[in-house]
Amino acid sequence: YLREALVAGKAKEVVQLAERVVEAVGDTTQEGAQIRASLPTLRRSAGLCAECGQPSDVRLPRCPACEKKRTATRSVAVKSAAPPTG
């Protein structure tokens, strides 16, 4: 159903259903794992951030809030991987 809805251009109508399925079954079934893997694409098709599902500019890989989190996490990882100075 989800695949057909996406092909029919109804991503906005099914993204919440897909998120609920993932929350309910997670990766415990093959179908749940497939839906989890396709959720970022489904969200982007609906004009949402691929990571958090909030409305976003589809030309960007993620919304400003998720980009900020990713940048902060990346800078912490780089600092912890750097050799000690001094």
Side-chain angles (χ1 to χ4, degrees), residues 3-83:
R3 185 177 298 135
E4 292 170 4
L6 185 57
V7 170
K10 298 179 182 178
K12 288 183 180 181
E13 298 172 20
V14 297
V15 72
Q16 289 180 344
L17 173 62
E19 289 172 339
R20 288 196 325 244
V21 169
V22 168
E23 287 175 12
V25 297
D27 293 333
T28 59
T29 66
Q30 182 179 359
E31 292 83 6
Q34 289 173 342
I35 293 171
R36 179 183 296 280
S38 66
L39 198 51
T41 301
L42 186 59
R43 286 176 175 160
R44 279 192 295 271
S45 297
L48 304 173
C49 173
E51 293 183 20
C52 70
Q54 295 300 312
S56 180
D57 183 342
V58 296
R59 296 172 293 177
L60 302 174
R62 60 196 61 82
C63 71
C66 288
E67 186 63 39
K68 189 174 185 178
K69 288 178 194 174
R70 182 174 280 237
T71 303
T73 302
R74 196 174 297 143
S75 65
V76 168
V78 169
K79 287 179 185 177
S80 64

